[in-house]
């Protein structure tokens, strides 16, 4: 069945797709690859001493009683990164013990994609979801990219397939396809250019077309359409975390907290964004809070991000409706440790698909620079 309709019309998913696709893989890196034994995970005086500066960073968001359980994992992971010549990338939605205590590079999807092109490490451990690990692999075909749990998916990435994009191209010949990075490598490979929530308007306007197809997030597409004169043809995907927020809920928070500032992610539905004082990607939300320093703020996005920003800004009061991303939460300290010990789960992508996806991602990254 072909999608029908015009600007901002919602098309429907044509087939479901599993996120992880086995591929032929890329050349093994020179990193030490054999499995390593499990280190002792005791909270000794040495572990307490070595991890004390890290606890200082998170003490306002992690109860002291939990630290003796986390600290041995944190020390073991930080030691193993050196052994494996590995770098840990962590999305802004990771839990504070990952984000503040083991990550080397942190940020939104765009920042992680750009950072992935610059690392000298042999091994990249992606503490985000599967599409982010695929993006890292697409940009680093000769490096080993690991994801601590390959079941860490995304409702947006699962909403569309490469075959769907081919059918859309038949339905709208000559209309360029802009694909949100929250998609599989297969979908990226069928696209003209990728975008993130940080650069969606810039990417859409860069194409010199009066109409673009923008996939797969209907709400990001609607928000982008509200910021540009370019007509947008949208898909009907949605983020299962952001679509749960409602405008009514935000009005209640505002009433109960006079003077509160509301900062929202563009994956939220329009009635939610209508209540927001600022809308932007996770990185832009953070920099807005740090620049404007409101006394009280509500971040309308995944719950852990407020903890991460709160740890760096203890003077700001964060009001939290706690919507967790179940996929991001599959990444835990024990799974990261296991990943570094066993060199699993390695992300592999068919080289032809990876090459085409790379073209779309690099076009976006080069636009940025
Ligand atoms: P950002 O690019 O803003 O980090 O968003 C990624 C994401 O998955 C939001 O749900
Ligand atoms: Fe996907 Fe939403 Fe989770 Fe982001 S928060 S990874 S868009 S399901």
């Amino acid at each position: 069945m072909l999608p029908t309709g015009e600007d901002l019309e919602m098309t429907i998913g044509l087939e479901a797709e599993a996120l992880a696709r086995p591929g032929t893989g890329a050349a093994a890196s020179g990193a030490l690859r054999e499995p390593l034994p499990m280190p002792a995970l005791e909270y000794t005086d040495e572990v307490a001493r070595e991890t004390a500066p890290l606890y200082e960073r998170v003490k306002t968001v992690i109860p002291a009683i939990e630290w003796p359980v986390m600290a041995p994992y944190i020390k073991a992971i930080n030691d193993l990164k050196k052994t494996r010549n590995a770098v840990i990338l962590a999305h802004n939605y990771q839990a504070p013990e990952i984000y503040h205590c083991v990550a080397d590079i942190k940020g939104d999807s765009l920042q992680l994609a750009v950072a992935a092109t610059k690392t000298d490490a042999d091994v990249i451990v992606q503490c985000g979801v599967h599409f982010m690990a695929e993006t890292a692999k697409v940009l680093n075909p000769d490096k080993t990219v690991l994801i601590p749990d390959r079941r860490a998916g995304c409702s947006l990435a699962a909403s569309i397939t490469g075959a769907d994009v081919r059918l859309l191209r038949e339905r709208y010949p000559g209309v360029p396809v802009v694909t949100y990075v929250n998609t599989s490598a297969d979908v990226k490979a069928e696209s003209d250019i990728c975008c993130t929530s940080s650069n969606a308007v810039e990417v859409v306007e860069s194409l010199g077309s009066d109409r673009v197809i923008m996939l797969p997030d209907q709400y990001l597409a609607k928000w982008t359409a509200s910021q540009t004169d370019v007509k947008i043809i949208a898909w009907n995907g949605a983020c299962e975390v952001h679509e749960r927020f409602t405008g009514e809920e935000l009005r209640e928070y505002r009433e109960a907290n006079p003077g509160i500032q509301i900062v929202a992610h563009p994956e939220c539905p329009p009635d939610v964004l209508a209540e927001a004082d600022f809308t932007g990607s996770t990185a832009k939300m953070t920099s807005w809070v740090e620049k404007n320093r409101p006394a009280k703020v509500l971040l309308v996005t995944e719950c852990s991000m407020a903890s991460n920003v709160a740890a760096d800004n203890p003077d700001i009061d964060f009001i939290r409706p706690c919507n967790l991303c179940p996929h991001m939460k599959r990444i835990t300290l024990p799974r990261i440790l296991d990943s570094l010990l066993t060199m699993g789960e390695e992300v592999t992508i068919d080289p032809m698909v990876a090459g085409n996806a790379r073209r779309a991602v690099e076009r976006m990254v080069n636009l940025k620079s």
Side-chain angles (χ1 to χ4, degrees):
M1 182 176 68
L2 284 175
T4 56
E6 282 305 316
D7 307 332
L8 263 183
E9 160 212 9
M10 300 301 114
T11 52
I12 56 166
L14 298 173
E15 58 185 71
E17 168 179 80
L19 277 165
R21 288 176 171 240
T24 55
S29 72
L32 175 69
R33 298 182 65 86
E34 56 266 25
L36 295 169
M38 179 66 86
L41 292 170
E42 280 154 33
Y43 189 57
T44 59
D45 288 347
E46 188 202 341
V47 173
R49 206 172 36 252
E50 269 194 44
T51 58
L54 294 174
Y55 189 62
E56 269 307 294
R57 286 190 204 164
V58 291
K59 66 180 184 201
T60 56
V61 291
I62 296 181
I65 197 166
E66 291 179 19
W67 191 247
V69 178
M70 292 177 179
Y73 283 96
I74 289 168
K75 175 168 163 37
I77 290 167
N78 286 332
D79 289 347
L80 267 170
K81 282 195 299 191
K82 294 181 201 130
T83 314
R84 295 291 197 195
N85 189 22
V87 68
I88 292 187
L89 309 187
H91 186 261
N92 291 328
Y93 294 164
Q94 283 306 316
E97 63 273 19
I98 296 171
Y99 185 87
H100 285 289
C101 302
V102 300
D104 302 292
I105 296 162
K106 312 180 266 196
D108 68 3
S109 304
L110 180 61
Q111 290 167 326
L112 297 183
V114 172
T117 63
K118 305 214 161 119
T119 178
D120 290 332
D122 293 312
V123 178
I124 296 172
V125 184
Q126 175 58 264
C127 294
V129 291
H130 193 268
F131 75 79
M132 296 178 180
E134 274 197 336
T135 307
K137 183 65 183 178
V138 155
L139 293 171
N140 293 279
D142 296 329
K143 291 191 194 293
T144 300
V145 176
L146 306 177
I147 181 154
D149 189 331
R150 75 181 304 126
R151 295 170 302 169
C154 168
S155 62
L156 281 169
S159 74
I160 188 160
T161 68
D164 294 333
V165 183
R166 287 194 292 278
L167 286 168
L168 279 167
R169 281 199 189 275
E170 279 174 27
R171 174 70 180 83
Y172 300 102
V175 180
V177 176
V178 176
T179 291
Y180 194 25
V181 285
N182 294 40
T183 46
S184 66
D186 272 1
V187 168
K188 290 184 177 81
E190 299 292 338
S191 311
D192 293 291
I193 187 167
C194 287
C195 76
T196 71
S197 55
S198 220
N199 60 17
V201 177
E202 189 191 348
V203 167
V204 161
E205 292 186 343
S206 74
L207 297 170
S209 174
D210 58 356
R211 241 174 19 147
V212 303
I213 297 168
M214 192 173 180
L215 311 168
D217 185 356
Q218 58 183 295
Y219 298 128
L220 179 65
K222 275 192 177 157
W223 179 77
T224 305
S226 75
Q227 310 289 306
T228 179
D229 291 335
V230 179
K231 299 277 191 302
I232 311 265
I233 299 164
W235 190 250
N236 73 341
C239 162
E240 67 188 84
V241 177
H242 291 91
E243 74 174 347
R244 288 212 304 272
F245 293 105
T246 64
E248 190 185 344
E249 164 188 24
L250 297 187
R251 283 190 292 280
E252 282 167 14
Y253 275 112
R254 218 188 262 288
E255 235 168 76
N257 298 276
I260 194 170
Q261 294 291 293
I262 296 181
V263 180
H265 195 276
E267 288 174 10
C268 295
D271 68 317
V272 171
L273 298 184
E275 300 299 327
D277 298 296
F278 174 75
T279 298
S281 71
T282 55
K284 287 187 176 171
M285 292 169 79
T286 306
S287 37
W288 188 93
V289 169
E290 291 183 339
K291 183 165 168 243
N292 292 281
R293 310 209 68 75
K296 219 179 239 197
V297 69
L298 191 161
L299 300 185
V300 192
T301 193
E302 210 270 353
C303 187
S304 291
M305 195 172 110
S307 305
N308 292 331
V309 186
D312 286 336
N313 298 280
D315 54 318
I316 298 176
D317 186 6
F318 288 79
I319 305 295
R320 304 180 202 193
C322 207
N323 288 357
L324 288 169
C325 172
H327 311 291
M328 289 279 178
K329 291 314 167 277
R330 285 191 183 276
I331 310 299
T332 59
L333 289 174
R335 285 190 180 136
I336 299 169
L337 177 60
D338 187 60
S339 194
L340 282 164
L341 289 172
T342 62
M343 296 293 280
E345 309 251 354
E346 183 166 356
V347 176
T348 56
I349 306 170
D350 177 275
M352 184 93 93
V353 171
N356 288 335
R358 185 185 170 116
R359 188 186 27 76
V361 177
E362 279 184 343
R363 191 170 172 193
M364 168 190 79
V365 170
N366 292 338
L367 191 71
K368 177 77 188 161
S369 59

